[in-house]
Amino acid sequence: MTKIGVQASTVVDAFKELGPYETFKKLSEIGYKSVEVSQVETSKENIDQIIRACKDFDMEVAAMSAALEPMFPGQESLETDYEKIVADCKAVDTDLLRIGMLPFDKMANLDKAIEFAKKANEYALKLKEDGIKLYYHNHHIEFVKYDGKYLLDIISENAPELGFELDVHWVQKGGENPVNILKKYSGKVELVHLKDYEVMPLTMDDLKLMQEDQAAFRNAFDNRARFAPLGQGSLPLKECADQAIESGCRYLLVEQDFSYGRDPFEELKISYNWLIDNGYGDLF
């Protein structure tokens, strides 16, 4: 059965300021019972707090996160910290692990991206032996085409054991229809990120730039899309959610990369209410 949860990075500052226990509590008070852990330090203290919060608030960890290889000094990765990552997954009782993004150097080179995919496939096989499934989270960059083929498809072909965590906002930003991509990868997408795609109107300040600085105005004009709570933008979210469920999704995860100065917990309440109003209350 599909469950609805929340991506921890949406309230990443709270995890740093309040700690995991209190942050899980605040999420639980909104109504979220499943949390995908990302951008949260996996120290023993934090893991212990997550375990305690899950017990005290009747919550669960939907998935944990890991890099395939370090993207910066000191970052945990499957390549350098495999045993710890597996132990953390088992400690919080999840069998889903996700890679959050393609390393930057792989974004600029097809051969390196294929190398990444093949290495991810090797780790997916290794993790499978430990009872854990490995998933890859897309952004828009995976919709670059090489000889008429999306990079996302090339990664899939070179990593048949790797599942996908499809992010409907980033699919839209990549120029594709999220419903079609969810349908295409049916059976391979147990994690889905739900977030809206809001196009903002130009402001009077933007119009002033047109007279003063053509380059600055063009930048403002070209970058009107931003992240939004569910139901506040233009994505066909009900169709996305319904297709995700039909495609075998285990967790629909509400995520909002930025709140633009607003309280992210209040933004999550808006998304929660939209999900309730649209008939998904029994998935919490």
Side-chain angles (χ1 to χ4, degrees):
M1 178 179 170
T2 304
K3 296 181 181 180
I4 292 176
V6 64
Q7 226 284 5
S9 64
T10 303
V11 289
V12 63
D13 290 340
F15 275 95
K16 294 174 182 175
E17 296 164 7
L18 303 176
Y21 186 85
E22 291 298 327
T23 304
F24 267 63
K25 181 180 180 182
K26 286 174 70 72
L27 293 171
S28 175
E29 288 168 349
I30 296 172
Y32 295 102
K33 295 297 182 181
S34 302
V35 180
E36 180 178 75
V37 176
S38 176
Q39 298 184 35
V40 177
E41 183 185 357
T42 54
S43 63
K44 184 180 184 307
E45 179 185 359
N46 280 356
I47 292 294
D48 288 345
Q49 284 194 40
I50 290 170
I51 294 170
R52 185 160 56 93
C54 287
K55 180 180 179 181
D56 289 354
F57 310 127
D58 190 27
M59 298 178 74
E60 66 176 351
V61 171
M64 294 290 282
S65 304
L68 183 65
E69 54 194 44
M71 292 176 65
F72 52 82
Q75 183 185 26
E76 284 186 3
S77 73
L78 288 167
E79 189 175 77
T80 57
D81 303 275
Y82 181 86
E83 296 300 333
K84 179 186 181 301
I85 290 167
V86 169
D88 288 342
C89 288
K90 293 184 179 298
V92 301
D93 195 28
T94 184
D95 64 341
L96 304 180
L97 180 69
R98 35 91 66 183
I99 297 169
M101 71 184 307
L102 191 65
F104 299 128
D105 63 323
K106 276 59 172 182
M107 294 179 185
N109 185 292
L110 177 59
D111 290 337
K112 287 187 176 182
I114 292 173
E115 179 185 294
F116 166 89
K118 290 180 176 178
K119 185 185 287 188
N121 196 64
E122 292 172 5
Y123 276 103
L125 287 167
K126 187 175 182 180
L127 285 161
K128 190 175 182 179
E129 295 178 358
D130 285 308
I132 297 170
K133 299 179 182 179
L134 186 62
Y135 291 83
Y136 172 79
H137 173 273
N138 72 280
H139 290 85
H140 56 343
I141 198 72
E142 289 81 6
F143 293 92
V144 168
K145 282 187 174 180
Y146 293 94
D147 294 327
K149 187 179 294 186
Y150 288 136
L151 178 57
L152 189 71
D153 296 330
I154 294 170
I155 290 172
S156 180
E157 289 170 2
N158 286 277
E161 295 293 327
L162 184 68
F164 283 133
E165 177 175 58
L166 292 177
D167 185 308
V168 299
H169 175 103
W170 285 110
V171 172
Q172 170 82 356
K173 200 170 184 70
E176 259 292 356
N177 183 328
V179 176
N180 292 342
I181 300 300
L182 286 163
K183 188 179 298 184
K184 179 178 184 177
Y185 282 102
S186 179
K188 199 173 182 176
V189 52
E190 291 190 82
L191 297 166
V192 170
H193 278 183
L194 280 183
K195 57 188 168 198
D196 219 334
Y197 187 97
E198 183 179 25
V199 178
M200 301 301 295
L202 287 167
T203 67
M204 293 305 296
D205 287 339
D206 295 326
L207 297 179
K208 288 178 184 177
L209 282 175
M210 186 165 54
Q211 306 296 327
E212 302 167 2
D213 187 335
Q214 285 288 315
F217 172 76
R218 185 70 202 199
N219 182 63
F221 179 82
D222 289 345
N223 293 281
R224 305 316 300 165
R226 70 179 191 180
F227 307 102
L230 305 186
Q232 306 302 299
S234 57
L235 272 177
L237 289 173
K238 184 155 180 45
E239 290 88 342
C240 289
D242 290 346
Q243 182 58 54
I245 293 168
E246 188 176 332
S247 294
C249 176
R250 279 174 61 184
Y251 289 98
L252 285 166
L253 298 156
V254 179
E255 182 186 33
Q256 192 171 328
D257 297 43
F258 298 105
S259 298
Y260 311 99
R262 301 187 294 267
D263 183 346
F265 288 100
E266 292 299 321
E267 302 283 272
L268 286 174
K269 284 183 184 178
I270 295 171
S271 292
Y272 176 84
N273 290 334
W274 183 89
L275 289 160
I276 295 294
D277 291 344
N278 281 272
Y280 300 105
D282 60 338
L283 302 188
F284 285 94

